[in-house]
Each structure stands twice: as C-alpha cells, then as structure tokens.
Amino acid sequence: MSTRRLAAALALLAACSWPPLAASPLPQGEVFRIDAAGDCQEQSPDAAPLPGGGFVTVWAGGFDPADPAVTQIYARVTGADGAPAGPEIRVSETGRLLTSPAVAVGADGRFLVTWTDLSAGVRSRLFTAAGAP
C-alpha cells in the first residue's frame, strides 16, 4: 500500500471510530457497595446517570437457596458522591425467573426499569426521580 493510501485509510479510521479515540477514563473514587444485602447473590447490574449528578442502579438478586428460580429486581438511587439517596427499591412485584434488568433515565429524572420475566415476558416499571413507583 502506498504511503498516500495508508495515510488516507488511517484518517478515515480516525474519523469513523466510535467511541472516539481518547484517553481512558480514570476512577473518580473508591469502590462502594450499592446493594444492602451483601449476600453475594446479586447479578446483572445496570446503571444510568441522573440529571444533576448521581445515578440509579438496578440488579437481579434476592435468590432463595431453597428455590434458585426465585429472584427479585431491585434499584437504588445514589447521589453524585456515591452515597445512597435512599433504601433499596424492590422493583418487581413477583419473584420467579426474573433476569436482565436495565434502566433508562429521562431528562426530568424519572427512570424506567425493564426486565425479563421468563414465565411472562418483558416487564417495565416507571419511577419518579425520588424513586417512587
């Protein structure tokens, strides 16, 4: 490949790369716990930033050793400093075969949690910015 073609290919690659080529993000503090249970049964976390700082995190957890198919979906709103802004929120109303929680936040701070109920399909629940359903 000629030098001119190589330079053109590299310029095209740099212009089209996503995410943009940039320095890696650096940690902004210590690692901290989101869930209150601490029983190491939580899985599949997802998080989304809130307007004005902070974030909301969702996860599947609450497994029952007697029946591993029983799970719940939880959420927790956290301030920009990483401190909980309130208690865990139990998102799901039933607890059977629930997986793959995800969260999206609107410009007004409301957040929508979705998950898969393997016995009843995809479920969603909308919350206020304060975490009320």
Side-chain angles (χ1 to χ4, degrees), residues 47-51 55-56 103-112 129:
L50 293 168
F55 51 93
V56 60
V103 63
V105 177
D108 61 358
R110 292 184 302 161
F111 57 94
L112 179 71

Side-chain angles (χ1 to χ4, degrees), residues 4-74:
R4 179 180 286 175
R5 291 177 93 188
L6 178 59
L10 289 174
L12 180 62
L13 178 63
C16 297
S17 65
W18 187 257
L21 300 174
S24 297
L26 298 174
Q28 299 296 306
E30 298 296 317
V31 173
F32 55 92
R33 176 170 226 102
I34 296 289
D35 66 297
D39 60 6
C40 299
Q41 298 295 317
E42 295 73 30
Q43 66 178 3
S44 304
D46 188 35
L50 293 168
F55 51 93
V56 60
T57 304
V58 297
W59 67 92
F63 300 99
D64 180 351
D67 187 355
V70 175
T71 59
Q72 303 296 331
I73 303 299
Y74 293 95

Side-chain angles (χ1 to χ4, degrees), residues 87-114:
E88 288 182 356
I89 303 163
R90 184 171 159 191
V91 175
S92 54
E93 294 179 347
T94 62
R96 192 120 187 108
L97 302 171
L98 308 180
T99 66
S100 309
V103 63
V105 177
D108 61 358
R110 292 184 302 161
F111 57 94
L112 179 71
V113 179
T114 60

